[in-house]
């Protein structure tokens, strides 16, 4: 018995669930879980189907599904389970550290193929996990020169996703286009309230009562891409700016970990500037 994963994204239509189930049954597969959702605003249908049964030809199953689905449908059958991640960092170690520990103990579900930093601060830490570290400085270079060097290096590793683990550089639309829908960022959820340096100090001065973090896909609109995962933590007047910063880092680690897990398990569909997430 083998597991087959099917991902479907198409225009909505009457009888889609029945039609899909019929094709799957014809292939001798038994549906274990079938999650579906219709975005009424765009009339789009999304489904994640897990089946068990005999080994099937993914191409043949995909072709049969495309015949019964609306024109322009997207179908994936058994996408690669072991995703490859390239991680970009600056100086902060908490998100990188959490990801590398999960990778080391085989709980990440993905291969960290490289870590690239625009400072050399995290090299020794990264190399303890036998992960290649590359230092690509942005200093003394134009943005275009820096990003071309960055892209050339990332491209050589052929990653499925690029993870910005507190990478503190704004990427240009040209760079983002190379990895459309494949760049994941993590940031504090104060935006746009406290923009710039020391957001936690700004939050402390303002007396905020909630802090949090957001993981999202990167688009040309800064920090406004489709959201994958979020979380919050209540705080109060006893929290210092350092307390808020420590709490914020813990939330950032947890939210990035959750987002990566959802993506690695193929549970995230993008629709416009939103996501459909089958948790």
């Amino acid at each position: 018995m083998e597991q087959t994963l099917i991902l479907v994204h198409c225009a909505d239509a009457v009888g889609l669930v029945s039609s899909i189930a019929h094709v799957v049954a014809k292939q001798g597969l038994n549906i274990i879980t079938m999650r579906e959702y219709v975005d009424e605003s765009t009339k789009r249908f999304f489904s994640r189907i897990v089946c068990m049964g005999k080994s099937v030809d993914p191409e043949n199953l995909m072709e049969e599904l495309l015949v019964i689905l609306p024109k322009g449908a997207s179908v994936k059958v058994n996408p690669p389970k072991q995703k490859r991640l390239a991680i970009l960092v600056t100086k902060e170690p908490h998100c990188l550290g959490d990801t590398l520990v999960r990778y080391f103990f085989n709980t990440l579900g993905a291969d960290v193929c490289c870590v690239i930093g625009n400072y050399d601060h995290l090299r020794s830490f990264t190399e303890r996990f036998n992960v290649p570290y590359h230092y690509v400085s942005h200093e003394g270079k134009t943005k275009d020169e820096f990003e071309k060097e960055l892209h050339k290096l990332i491209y050589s590793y052929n990653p499925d996703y690029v993870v910005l683990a507190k990478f503190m550089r704004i990427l240009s639309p040209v760079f983002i286009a190379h990895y459309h829908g494949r760049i994941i960022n993590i940031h504090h959820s104060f935006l746009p309230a406290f923009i710039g340096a020391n957001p936690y100090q700004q939050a402390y001065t303002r007396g905020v009562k909630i802090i949090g973090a957001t993981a999202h896909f990167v688009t040309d609109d800064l920090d406004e891409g489709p959201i994958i995962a979020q979380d919050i933590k209540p705080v109060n007047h006893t929290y210092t700016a350092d307390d808020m910063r420590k709490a914020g880092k813990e939330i950032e680690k947890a939210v990035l970990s959750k987002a990566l897990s959802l993506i690695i398990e193929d549970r995230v569909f993008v629709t416009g500037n939103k996501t459909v997430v089958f948790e």
Side-chain angles (χ1 to χ4, degrees):
M1 298 285 283
E2 294 188 13
Q3 179 176 294
T4 297
L5 174 63
I6 305 168
L7 307 173
V8 176
H9 172 202
C10 63
D12 190 28
V14 174
L16 285 179
V17 171
S18 174
S19 298
I20 292 170
H22 178 70
V23 170
V24 169
K26 268 182 58 180
Q27 291 273 339
L29 298 175
N30 183 39
I31 295 176
I32 304 302
T33 62
M34 184 173 185
R35 301 287 304 278
E36 67 276 342
Y37 172 75
V38 175
D39 184 344
E40 290 292 348
S41 64
T42 60
K43 302 301 180 185
R44 303 294 295 177
F45 173 86
F46 304 85
S47 187
R48 182 181 188 272
I49 307 142
V50 179
C51 309
M52 293 294 292
K54 64 180 183 179
S55 177
V56 299
D57 179 354
E59 291 294 326
N60 176 259
L61 176 54
M62 184 174 67
E63 288 173 6
E64 288 203 16
L65 286 168
L66 287 172
V67 169
I68 57 93
L69 292 171
K71 186 178 180 179
S74 169
V75 177
K76 294 181 181 178
V77 177
N78 288 335
K81 290 182 179 180
Q82 193 73 7
K83 308 294 192 293
R84 290 171 57 80
L85 308 180
I87 302 178
L88 305 190
V89 297
T90 294
K91 295 179 180 180
E92 294 187 67
H94 58 288
C95 287
L96 172 65
D98 184 73
T99 305
L100 288 180
V101 167
R102 294 173 190 275
Y103 169 62
F104 181 81
F105 286 104
N106 297 315
T107 59
L108 181 63
D111 177 31
V112 178
C113 54
C114 68
V115 175
I116 304 170
N118 61 316
Y119 289 92
D120 211 24
H121 291 55
L122 299 175
R123 176 187 293 278
S124 62
F125 174 74
T126 300
E127 290 178 345
R128 292 178 188 179
F129 295 88
N130 294 319
V131 174
Y133 185 94
H134 300 276
Y135 168 44
V136 179
S137 175
H138 62 278
E139 296 177 345
K141 302 172 185 173
T142 66
K143 188 180 189 71
D144 182 59
E145 289 171 338
F146 170 67
E147 290 189 344
K148 281 182 177 178
E149 189 174 346
L150 198 61
H151 169 56
K152 182 178 180 180
L153 186 54
I154 295 171
Y155 183 80
S156 70
Y157 280 97
N158 190 31
D160 295 291
Y161 293 96
V162 177
V163 182
L164 309 185
K166 305 302 290 183
F167 180 68
M168 308 307 287
R169 303 290 299 177
I170 297 174
L171 298 170
S172 72
V174 173
F175 182 90
I176 293 170
H178 292 304
Y179 308 98
H180 177 70
R182 297 192 290 136
I183 306 178
I184 302 150
N185 187 34
I186 181 73
H187 67 64
H188 61 78
S189 288
F190 294 135
L191 291 173
F194 307 122
I195 298 173
N198 298 317
Y200 289 101
Q201 181 62 51
Q202 295 180 58
Y204 169 74
T205 301
R206 182 63 180 81
V208 303
K209 302 305 180 191
I210 292 177
I211 59 175
T214 295
H216 66 94
F217 289 108
V218 175
T219 63
D220 294 351
D221 298 317
L222 181 63
D223 295 327
E224 294 186 14
I227 293 171
I228 306 163
Q230 292 179 299
D231 200 1
I232 59 170
K233 176 182 176 65
V235 297
N236 58 42
H237 61 277
T238 67
Y239 278 67
T240 65
D242 281 341
D243 291 335
M244 289 186 180
R245 188 174 294 106
K246 290 175 184 176
K249 287 182 178 181
E250 291 301 313
I251 299 171
E252 288 172 355
K253 290 192 299 184
V255 171
L256 180 59
S257 173
K258 180 178 181 180
L260 290 179
S261 176
L262 292 168
I263 288 168
I264 289 164
E265 294 176 8
D266 295 294
R267 296 180 179 273
V268 181
F269 294 80
V270 176
T271 172
N273 202 46
K274 298 190 297 182
T275 55
V276 172
V277 180
F278 293 122
E279 296 190 49

